[in-house]
Structures are given as C-alpha cells and as structure tokens.
Amino acid sequence: MDDSNVVTVYSFRVYTGHAERPQVSPHKATKEAIVQLGGELLKGTAQQVPARALDPQGHFRRVATGWGELN
C-alpha cells in the first residue's frame, strides 16, 4: 500500500436514542468523522486503508469479497 495515500480508520460507538445504550457502528471512520458524528472512538481498532476507499463523509465500509482478498 502506498503510504502517502493511506488513512487510519477506527470502529466507534454512537449514542442514538438512549445514552445508556450506545451502538457500535457497522463501519469504520476517520477520527475527524467520528468527532463530527459525536461518536466515541474504540481504542485498539485502528486500520489503515487507502484514502480512495473512504466515502465523502470519511466512512470506510469493507466490501464483502466472498472468497477473494480481504484487504
């Protein structure tokens, strides 16, 4: 992976509805996107991905590949 075009994304929780029951997001996002959503970054979940794999909001959704490459 070309290091100049790599970003770090994280799993995070969001507080939708009740503050007592945060939900873990089904996708990862950059720190900036998580802060903008009012979410809480989950430590130890960092993953480096190509910058082109992010959507315009800074979210990363892994594309299911079946038996293909998992990157």
Side-chain angles (χ1 to χ4, degrees):
M1 209 178 309
D2 180 13
D3 288 343
S4 64
N5 294 318
V6 173
V7 295
T8 304
V9 293
Y10 304 85
S11 293
F12 62 99
R13 330 185 155 110
V14 289
Y15 295 89
T16 56
H18 298 289
E20 300 86 31
R21 295 187 331 201
Q23 296 179 338
V24 175
S25 176
H27 58 274
K28 291 186 174 185
T30 62
K31 280 184 184 180
E32 298 79 14
I34 294 169
V35 168
Q36 189 173 26
L37 287 171
E40 177 186 354
L41 183 142
L42 299 176
K43 294 181 181 180
T45 63
Q47 177 182 354
Q48 292 191 330
V49 299
R52 67 183 175 344
L54 298 179
D55 68 13
Q57 290 78 34
H59 300 175
F60 170 73
R61 291 172 175 83
R62 185 179 161 276
V63 177
T65 59
W67 292 100
E69 282 290 320
L70 295 177
N71 295 357

